[in-house]
Amino acid sequence: MLGESRARARIEETAAIGGGGGCWADDMSLSGCRAMEMEFVRRFHRHEPRENQCSSALIKHIKAPIHLVWSLVRRFDQPQKYKPFVSRCVVQGEMEIGSVRQVNVKSGLPATTSTERLELLDDDEHVLSIKIVGGDHRLKNYSSVITVHPENIEGRPGTLVIESFIVDVPEGNTEDETCFFIKALIKCNLKSLADISERLAAQSRTEPIESYQARV
């Protein structure tokens, strides 16, 4: 089952490991979202769920410059660079719009494989979109969009990350259960993305925001 307790416990355990990189603003319905964030959602994350579908979005603020974060996010061919539940990924043919990847999932989740198609990769706007087209799981008609945007965090270059999704609600599950499960997975992925990006930023001795703004 999509909401089985073993998978939920595995996700929560993974989320608890390591430092809590970045900071959260969960769910676009919350009043704490800033006007800038809402504008990005309107531009890039407009989903129109039908009956028996659910959709949501999460926001993560990462204390690392956008070029570091995007270098990890854009790797459709290597999602395991930051996604903790991916053990292996093979892309069929050249990496281009329409390319398909076969993802192997680590134990602890109710799936072992996922087949995913690259819908959009925009290096100028920093947008990545994928659609799940197969696999031994129950996520039908799943599509996601992840965007990254430069921002100032504590006087240094940071990155605003927004990830949204839409998916069918599987038979036997509620909309709340489905959203909870997927949002927990996305939180794990974005936490890992923040941890890795911030570690890379610390290693590269990120310059002050004034120098960064002069280059963008």
Side-chain angles (χ1 to χ4, degrees):
M1 295 292 289
L2 182 62
E4 64 183 1
S5 58
R6 187 167 65 90
R8 186 173 299 184
R10 177 77 169 107
I11 294 169
E12 292 172 351
E13 177 187 358
T14 302
I17 296 174
C23 51
W24 286 104
D26 190 3
D27 288 321
M28 301 320 303
S29 59
L30 294 184
S31 59
C33 291
R34 298 174 296 177
M36 177 185 67
E37 296 162 355
M38 295 304 295
E39 177 58 27
F40 289 142
V41 170
R42 282 191 289 266
R43 287 180 59 191
F44 301 108
H45 298 269
R46 298 189 66 174
H47 301 288
E48 297 181 358
R50 303 186 304 272
E51 186 178 359
N52 205 41
Q53 285 189 317
C54 68
S55 179
S56 189
L58 294 94
I59 289 173
K60 184 77 166 175
H61 300 275
I62 299 178
K63 298 176 182 178
I66 190 171
H67 73 273
L68 287 180
V69 179
W70 180 242
S71 71
L72 297 169
V73 170
R74 74 178 306 279
R75 294 304 300 268
F76 176 78
D77 58 332
Q78 294 186 29
Q80 66 271 30
K81 279 184 171 290
Y82 75 91
K83 294 186 176 184
F85 291 109
V86 175
S87 60
R88 183 170 179 264
C89 176
V90 177
V91 174
Q92 303 170 9
E94 298 294 326
M95 195 177 80
E96 57 188 2
I97 303 303
S99 293
V100 174
R101 68 185 182 191
Q102 188 72 24
V103 174
N104 289 353
V105 180
K106 294 180 181 178
S107 62
L109 293 179
T112 59
T113 63
S114 181
T115 306
E116 303 168 357
R117 184 174 65 225
L118 180 62
E119 300 288 285
L120 176 64
L121 178 62
D122 189 329
D123 285 313
D124 294 323
E125 296 279 6
H126 301 112
V127 183
L128 174 72
S129 177
I130 68 142
K131 181 178 180 64
I132 292 180
V133 295
D136 62 346
H137 51 73
R138 305 179 67 218
L139 299 181
K140 305 302 181 185
N141 293 317
Y142 179 92
S143 295
S144 71
V145 178
I146 183 168
T147 61
V148 301
H149 314 273
E151 64 175 350
N152 177 358
I153 301 178
E154 299 175 357
R156 288 188 176 275
T159 303
L160 165 67
V161 182
I162 305 174
E163 183 162 358
S164 62
F165 68 89
I166 185 170
V167 67
D168 291 356
V169 176
E171 183 178 355
N173 289 99
T174 67
E175 181 176 334
D176 287 344
E177 288 173 338
T178 305
C179 271
F180 176 89
F181 181 83
I182 296 174
K183 285 161 60 178
L185 280 175
I186 292 176
K187 282 186 176 183
C188 284
N189 291 338
L190 295 185
K191 178 187 178 298
S192 177
L193 176 63
D195 290 341
I196 295 170
S197 298
E198 290 174 3
R199 184 165 63 247
L200 290 173
Q203 291 172 355
S204 63
R205 297 181 181 180
T206 306
E207 72 273 23
I209 189 66
E210 290 80 6
S211 302
Y212 176 74
Q213 288 178 329
R215 295 191 288 106
V216 297

